[in-house]
Amino acid sequence: MHSNEARGPESGDPSDVSGDGESTVEQLAAELAAARDALDALRESGLREHADLENQRKRMAREVEQARRFANERVLSDLLPVFDSLEAGLAVETADPAKLREGMELTLKQLGKVAADHGLEPVDPAGASFDPDQHQAISTVASEAHPDGTVVQVFQKGYRLNQRLVRPALVVVSRTPD
């Protein structure tokens, strides 16, 4: 028997047009339609997920913007009584500087408490060793009364917010006389 004679419907001969060939074409067409439906479903799912991610990104951006805009609300609300105290002090007509000073000291104390409650602490290094991470030297002065590198005068207090330096203290530092 020649190899050509051994061919039958199972050999995949395209010239075979028996009933099985029609069912194979129909079966392939059905599989192709199913694959196209699955591809369409995946595309639709991908588009939906992309839209969901985009909506979530926009929502997060709105929330961050809202948080940024109102981040200081609590601090500012706590400062309102200080404003009230200052306005009340300005409204009082007194010639007594001692009473005016007393009112200013109380208002400053009130302001200091609000600042401390929100994590702000002063850096007042008078008499301490100079620390370039916390202080900014604006000049030096020769001094036998102070050890070399000691802060002898504070021109402006510095501040830390929750242990992070917000503003260094402006200081004068001692040095050994020549």
Side-chain angles (χ1 to χ4, degrees):
M1 191 191 240
H2 260 42
S3 62
N4 285 345
E5 296 172 350
R7 285 191 172 166
E10 294 81 28
S11 68
D13 184 359
S15 62
D16 181 15
V17 201
S18 67
D20 280 337
E22 281 182 28
S23 68
T24 303
V25 170
E26 290 172 4
Q27 182 181 2
L28 289 174
E31 287 177 11
L32 179 60
R36 284 184 176 153
D37 290 345
L39 180 61
D40 288 344
L42 284 173
R43 277 189 187 134
E44 191 175 309
S45 173
L47 288 173
R48 230 183 351 264
E49 286 183 26
H50 178 71
D52 286 346
L53 284 173
E54 187 63 21
N55 288 339
Q56 184 178 13
R57 186 192 64 76
K58 288 178 183 176
R59 185 173 45 255
M60 290 298 291
R62 277 193 310 268
E63 288 174 5
V64 165
E65 175 62 20
Q66 194 79 347
R68 186 190 63 76
R69 287 181 62 208
F70 294 103
N72 296 329
E73 181 177 14
R74 185 171 159 240
V75 160
L76 294 173
S77 293
D78 290 348
L79 283 174
L80 293 177
V82 177
F83 284 115
D84 295 340
S85 294
L86 288 169
E87 289 172 353
L90 289 172
V92 171
E93 294 184 23
T94 181
D96 186 2
K99 290 211 180 275
L100 183 60
R101 181 173 180 83
E102 181 183 341
M104 287 180 64
E105 287 172 348
L106 288 173
T107 303
L108 181 61
K109 187 175 180 181
Q110 189 179 24
L111 180 61
K113 182 178 179 341
V114 169
D117 288 349
H118 290 277
L120 190 69
E121 60 180 306
V123 175
D124 189 2
S129 292
F130 175 72
D131 178 356
D133 292 332
Q134 300 291 314
H135 316 139
Q136 181 176 345
I138 56 174
S139 69
T140 60
V141 64
S143 173
E144 292 182 10
H146 300 92
D148 192 35
T150 300
V151 174
V152 293
Q153 186 177 2
V154 177
F155 275 109
Q156 188 177 62
K157 285 191 257 183
Y159 288 92
R160 282 188 296 263
L161 178 62
N162 298 319
Q163 303 303 314
R164 184 172 129 194
L165 189 66
V166 176
R167 182 177 83 184
L170 299 179
V171 299
V172 175
V173 182
S174 67
R175 63 176 161 75
T176 307
D178 293 336

